[in-house]
Amino acid sequence: MLYIPQDPRAVTISRRTLRLILTMHGLAHLADTAELLATELVSNAVRHTKGPAALRVYWSAGVLRIGAWDADPEPPEPPNHPAQLADAEQGRGLALIRACADVWGWQPLARNGSRGKFVWCDLAAV
């Protein structure tokens, strides 16, 4: 778990940390897509919430799960339909996650006494 400060620079730190972790564990072939997915998840957690956040990476049975916890218990806005994205100023993040990940979702989750949510996506290592 990588705890993230409420700072836009946290996105870059999270992305670089993820690439290092994947490279060290022989999963560098997933790094480009995983970085993109983590960037969107962490960006949403930092941009749209006011409390703490965290990035979690989990590897099991050939699937990489990337998730971001934040202190806002409200569900994420559903991804925009691709036709709505051309002129949209927001809403591209989850649409990008939906397009690049094998599956994504969210669940309510409390951490250290704070209610929040965990938004995650899976990336198969094929």
Side-chain angles (χ1 to χ4, degrees):
M1 184 83 61
L2 176 63
Y3 292 95
I4 303 165
Q6 251 342 84
D7 185 329
R9 295 174 293 184
V11 176
T12 301
I13 293 167
S14 298
R15 187 175 55 240
R16 289 179 181 166
T17 301
L18 176 61
R19 180 171 287 276
L20 179 62
I21 289 167
L22 294 176
T23 300
M24 291 178 65
H25 290 279
L27 299 170
H29 60 286
L30 297 177
D32 289 341
T33 304
E35 273 187 4
L36 175 66
L37 297 171
T39 296
E40 294 304 327
L41 292 171
V42 172
S43 292
N44 285 344
V46 170
R47 185 179 309 128
H48 300 296
T49 67
K50 293 182 177 25
L55 174 69
R56 181 173 184 222
V57 180
Y58 182 75
W59 173 258
S60 178
V63 175
L64 179 67
R65 175 160 288 180
I66 304 163
W69 173 85
D70 64 56
D72 182 0
E74 293 299 315
E77 292 289 326
N80 286 333
H81 187 276
Q84 297 172 317
L85 294 177
D87 297 324
E89 292 183 26
Q90 295 182 22
R92 292 185 179 118
L94 286 177
L96 189 59
I97 289 169
R98 182 176 61 186
C100 295
D102 294 305
V103 64
W104 79 277
W106 79 278
Q107 63 197 57
L109 183 67
R111 176 158 309 286
N112 299 330
S114 297
R115 289 182 44 222
K117 67 180 168 297
F118 183 66
V119 182
W120 55 269
C121 60
D122 288 349
L123 188 58
V126 284

